[in-house]
Amino acid sequence: MSRRRRSTYTRYVRRNWFARNKVLIIIISAFIVLALAAGAFFMIRNLMQRQQESGIEYVAMKPASIPTVSMIYDNYQVNVLHGYTQEMDVHYIRRNLYLLEDTYNIPIQIDLYGNTVRAVNYRVVDAEEDNLIQNGTTEDLEKDEDILRCSIRIDNLIDDYREYVLDIILDTEKQEGIHYYVRIRRDASTALKGHIEMALNINKCIYNAGDDESKQYIADIMESRYWLADNADLSVVTLYSTLSNMTWGKMNVSMLKDPEIEILDVDGEIGYIRLNYLVSRKEGESNEYYRVSEYYRLRLTDSYAYVLNYERKADQAFDPYLEGTIGVRSAKLGVISNKSISMMCNKSGTLSCFVADNTLWAMDTDTKTLKRIFSFASGINDDRGSYRQHNIKIIDVSDDGDIQFVVYGYMNAGLHEGRAGVAMYSYDSETEEVAEKIFIPANIPYEILKNSVGSLFHYGDNNNLYIMMDQFLYRLDLGGDEAVLVASGLVENTYVIHTDSNLIAWQEDGKVNDAKKITVLNMDNDTTYTVTAAPGSCIKVLGFLNQQLVYGQGKAAAYRASRADGPCPGKRQEFSGLGRPF
């Protein structure tokens, strides 16, 4: 059908109408713009009013920006990997495993989060031998909206039953060299698919416990030993918990999305699986959210399935808007699996700081004003910001309201997104801004870093913070924004830390059995002294007695010949000494 043509008269009348009513059109357009602006203003004002009425303020953090990578195993999406913008030490990559069975292809899925990927490179490393086995580039990239899919082809140069590290390297338009690490192994003798199906089936029955068949399956497969444990707490549930606790008791929770599957390890019939997910429940007019992690150690044979170990940890997402959360001089944190809460008050007791749900909060106990000081997460559904591979440690809270704190581990977002290390931050109460003062990078993952940092964390009298990271001892000058390397080579059996964490002594040169000198440091006042072995002797740290170092000393030749682990050991030992007290 042909399109009807308007007459010249009609076009003239319309142009004439617009010309005559030009002012009216401008006024109406301006009114619409003002109405939209007013609506936005009142919406923002209402949000701010809600925060002010509840006494809650927020400090912004730049959200996470880099993609995530996951792997496909037998149609299951497994091992969601978070990228590092630095190369890591492959010797310490232990968290996840991908199993190659009857193929050398590894299908991967890249969640772009708005990024454009220019190249997908990879390398295979034999961490045990420090050998590069293979490197290459993947060409078969298929994009589906905000998801990119491709496959990595592993050469048949790898040995069966031997572990390697796969390093997937993305180049995006904003960032080059984003590394994603996972262990791989070629092994066709496992029951890994059955382990995954078994874990998912148990999980499904837990949240469908109203069904008699599901409830009976949980009772049979778990073989609860509830009489051996305290069952009053739902934050940590194990095989020693009651069937009621395993199925969340009277809490009517529902899973918000499918669990993330982590393959931790597999050894023949035995598989190690972790499921991570988010659940919610209705509480009055509000929703409570819980981050849940389930660990399974399963044994699967041709005739029977066993649950060798099970542990579920649940941590409630701290929501200050929930009724009853903020008390007169307290905050209700809810269900938490880790009872060691990082918290601190200033000397006057007017400001209390605490860490809840990997977020640093500050509460004015007089006005009941609550302020969120630091968090990587931008919301409950922020999977990258909520990645729980870091920790927050409060260092100092002043009477002026200034806060010093440290974040160590994987940096989910912000200036050092995708890096591992220790960052020192300062919150200024006058400007209400958080400023980074010091960042010390590390090439080891959080699982390793937390053990070394957690072993020594001391804030001295001279505004200095001492922390241990890997084999290094650092002094952080909080006033001068400077990090100083105090000692290196602190391997096991070469140093001792006082139980009060104010003294440390180490053998120089990192020598375990042939040291000639010991340095003792008082981290309260930054003073040191040394103990030197006699000529021809060796020296070894033993511990502390009150504020004095206890050490052993003996002939070096005799010590080397004995090859014992003690301090210039046993019958060959000349004497034990005491260092001078501070």
Side-chain angles (χ1 to χ4, degrees), residues 98-116:
Y98 186 86
L99 209 61
L100 295 161
E101 294 182 341
D102 56 355
T103 178
Y104 287 94
N105 284 329
I106 303 178
I108 66 171
Q109 174 178 309
I110 304 171
D111 287 81
L112 297 171
Y113 292 98
N115 287 276
T116 299

Side-chain angles (χ1 to χ4, degrees), residues 408-429:
Y408 60 93
Y410 178 84
M411 303 295 160
N412 300 16
L415 183 62
H416 301 289
E417 179 184 0
R419 304 195 71 180
V422 178
M424 182 75 199
Y425 292 93
S426 177
Y427 170 75
D428 190 312
S429 59

Side-chain angles (χ1 to χ4, degrees), residues 129-414:
E129 299 292 337
D130 287 324
N131 289 333
L132 176 64
I133 304 300
Q134 176 189 355
N135 57 11
T137 300
T138 297
E139 303 292 347
D140 59 334
L141 306 179
E142 297 180 2
K143 186 176 181 182
D144 181 9
E145 295 183 350
D146 205 35
I147 293 176
L148 194 67
R149 295 183 177 90
C150 59
S151 291
I152 292 175
R153 172 71 181 179
I154 305 299
D155 292 341
N156 59 0
L157 300 174
I158 63 174
D159 298 329
D160 289 351
Y161 315 114
R162 184 181 180 90
E163 283 192 2
Y164 300 85
V165 174
L166 172 63
D167 178 11
I168 304 170
I169 308 166
L170 300 187
D171 291 338
T172 70
E173 60 180 1
K174 299 177 182 178
Q175 176 79 47
E176 290 188 357
I178 308 174
H179 299 261
Y180 302 82
Y181 295 93
V182 64
R183 294 177 293 135
I184 61 172
R185 187 171 80 228
R186 181 169 168 79
D187 188 352
S189 63
T190 71
L192 179 58
K193 181 181 178 182
H195 295 137
I196 295 174
E197 292 175 345
M198 184 177 173
L200 291 174
N201 192 36
I202 293 173
N203 175 267
K204 180 180 178 181
C205 291
I206 286 175
Y207 291 93
N208 193 29
D211 176 66
D212 291 339
E213 185 177 348
S214 297
K215 194 170 186 177
Q216 188 60 46
Y217 175 78
I218 295 297
D220 293 340
I221 198 70
M222 292 300 209
E223 297 180 353
S224 172
R225 307 158 179 89
Y226 63 88
W227 56 88
L228 297 175
D230 178 14
N231 284 278
D233 190 0
L234 286 175
S235 63
V236 180
V237 174
T238 67
L239 291 178
Y240 297 99
S241 302
T242 61
L243 179 61
S244 174
N245 277 21
M246 289 181 182
T247 56
W248 288 87
K250 296 181 180 180
M251 293 180 65
N252 185 21
V253 298
S254 58
M255 195 178 299
L256 295 184
K257 60 181 179 179
D258 293 337
E260 290 184 357
I261 304 170
E262 287 188 82
I263 304 171
L264 304 180
D265 211 340
V266 60
D267 184 9
E269 297 176 344
I270 300 176
Y272 304 79
I273 307 294
R274 181 185 290 126
L275 305 180
N276 304 306
Y277 53 92
L278 193 68
V279 301
S280 68
R281 76 158 183 159
K282 195 76 172 177
E283 180 66 18
E285 297 298 322
S286 304
N287 287 320
E288 294 179 351
Y289 297 95
Y290 300 82
R291 306 186 196 278
V292 185
S293 174
E294 282 184 340
Y295 166 77
Y296 294 86
R297 182 162 63 95
L298 308 171
R299 184 180 181 187
L300 196 60
T301 69
D302 294 335
S303 57
Y304 203 78
Y306 303 87
V307 179
L308 302 178
N309 194 9
Y310 171 81
E311 184 179 66
R312 185 181 73 214
K313 292 184 178 180
D315 290 280
Q316 185 173 347
F318 182 71
D319 186 354
Y321 289 119
L322 290 177
E323 185 178 355
T325 298
I326 307 301
V328 177
R329 298 180 68 88
S330 64
K332 184 180 178 182
L333 302 185
V335 176
I336 50 175
S337 60
N338 184 4
K339 304 301 189 291
S340 300
I341 304 298
S342 179
M343 58 183 301
M344 185 178 292
C345 299
N346 59 5
K347 292 181 180 179
S348 60
T350 57
L351 187 66
S352 297
C353 297
F354 60 91
V355 177
D357 193 30
N358 274 25
T359 301
L360 175 61
W361 298 86
M363 183 174 68
D364 189 315
T365 55
D366 291 334
T367 63
K368 293 175 57 177
T369 301
L370 189 65
K371 181 176 294 185
R372 188 174 68 174
I373 303 298
F374 182 91
S375 179
F376 285 131
S378 59
I380 192 65
N381 293 313
D382 183 6
D383 294 333
R384 293 174 299 170
S386 301
Y387 184 50
R388 305 169 76 83
Q389 289 294 293
H390 65 274
N391 200 7
I392 302 174
K393 183 80 172 180
I394 304 169
I395 303 303
D396 185 57
V397 182
S398 72
D399 286 340
D400 295 332
D402 298 338
I403 305 168
Q404 310 278 355
F405 62 97
V406 165
V407 180
Y408 60 93
Y410 178 84
M411 303 295 160
N412 300 16

